[in-house]
Amino acid sequence: MDKDKAELAPNTESNLVTSSSAKPSNITTETKTAESASSFTSQKQLLALARQYVLDGALIPEDKQMPLEERVVKRERLSRLRQQQNLESIIKRSLTYCPNSTSTTKADPDWFNRFTSLAEDISNNTMQDLWAKILAGEITHPGSFSLKSLTVFKSMSITDAKLLAKVCGIAVKDSSKKNIRIISGAYNTPGIFSFFSKTTQQRVNLNQCGLSYTEILSLADNHLIFMQEAESNELQKGEKMVFNFNGKNLTLMAKRNQCGLSFYKFTPVGSELALLISDHPNKDLIPLLESSLQSHFSVISS
C-alpha cells in the first residue's frame, strides 16, 4: 500500500517554476526567456500528468517499457485508489457539516450510491468541500438535493462554481427562500395618459455588479437559471414586494400604478445548488437598484 500511496502522490515536477536571480539586459531577452520558461513548464506539467495517470508508456524506450497489459492494470488500480481517496476525503469533510442531533428520517441508500458514483473523481479541494456540503445537507434533510442536481453539478467546473457564488451575491429570495431571482428591470404598463412616456421600462445594468451577459448565458447553459426573463404581477401605487437579501428585508414599493419587475429566475436545480453558497452579498446591488428603478419603485433595505 505504501507503494500505491507513493504512486498516487502528485509529481513534484508539475510544480516546478523556472526562475533566475539575474535580470535580463533588455525587454526582448526578458520576453524570450518568459516564453521559453512557459513552454518548458507546460511540457513538464504534461509529462507529470502522463506519469501520474500511467499514460507515459509511449514516451519510454521500447526495451524499458512495461508490457501494455500491465500498464492497463496499473492504471486501473491507481484510478480506483484515487477514487477511494476522493470519497473518503469528502466523507471526512461532510462530517464537519452534519449536526450532531437525532434525525427522524433516514437517508436513501440509492441516493448515496449514486452520489458516490458521481463524486468519486472529484479531487479539487474546493469542489470536494461543496460535494461534502451536498452530502451533509441530504443526510440531514433528505430530499434537499435531487439526483438531477447532482448530475448537473458533476459537469460544473470550479469556474462554474465561482460564477454560481457570484450570482448568489446579487440574488433575492421570496419569503419561503425557495424562489431565487435576479432583478433585471422594471416596467410600467402605459395608460392612456402615459402611452408615449419614455420611462415605461427600466433596465438594471448587472455589469455594474460584475455579472456580464456572457456569464448569464453560461448560467443558463448549466441549467442554473432560466434564460427567458419573467415578469411579476403588476402592482398599484403604494403596493410592495418584499424579498430576502442576505437575511434582511428588501422592499420595493411601487411609485405609480401598474408597475412590475422583470427578473431572471433560478431553475429548481439552481435553487438547490444555491444552498451550498454562503451569503456573501454584493454591496453594489442596493445602490444599483435604487438608481435603476427610481422611476418605478422605492427601494428600502431593512
Side-chain angles (χ1 to χ4, degrees), residues 185-201:
Y187 67 93
N188 175 233
T189 303
I192 189 171
F193 298 109
S194 60
F195 186 78
F196 297 104
S197 172
K198 295 181 179 179
T199 59
T200 57
Q201 189 172 18

Side-chain angles (χ1 to χ4, degrees), residues 182-219:
I182 309 164
I183 298 174
S184 58
Y187 67 93
N188 175 233
T189 303
I192 189 171
F193 298 109
S194 60
F195 186 78
F196 297 104
S197 172
K198 295 181 179 179
T199 59
T200 57
Q201 189 172 18
Q202 291 183 301
R203 301 294 300 170
V204 176
N205 184 2
L206 296 172
N207 261 309
Q208 294 185 28
C209 284
L211 184 67
S212 68
Y213 186 69
T214 300
E215 290 174 321
I216 291 175
L217 293 176
S218 179
L219 289 163

Side-chain angles (χ1 to χ4, degrees), residues 67-124:
L68 180 61
E69 292 82 358
E70 292 184 23
R71 299 203 299 270
V72 171
V73 172
K74 181 180 179 181
R75 187 165 72 90
E76 178 65 21
R77 175 172 55 83
L78 292 181
S79 175
R80 297 303 297 167
L81 285 171
R82 275 192 295 270
Q83 290 171 341
Q84 185 72 16
Q85 284 185 344
N86 292 337
L87 289 174
E88 289 181 0
S89 176
I90 291 171
I91 296 293
K92 183 178 180 180
R93 291 168 185 263
S94 186
L95 286 174
T96 64
Y97 295 115
C98 287
N100 189 19
S101 57
T102 303
S103 177
T104 58
T105 55
K106 292 185 177 180
D108 183 0
D110 290 337
W111 184 96
F112 183 77
N113 185 55
R114 181 61 175 156
F115 174 91
T116 58
S117 68
L118 290 170
E120 63 187 4
D121 292 318
I122 306 300
S123 58
N124 177 276

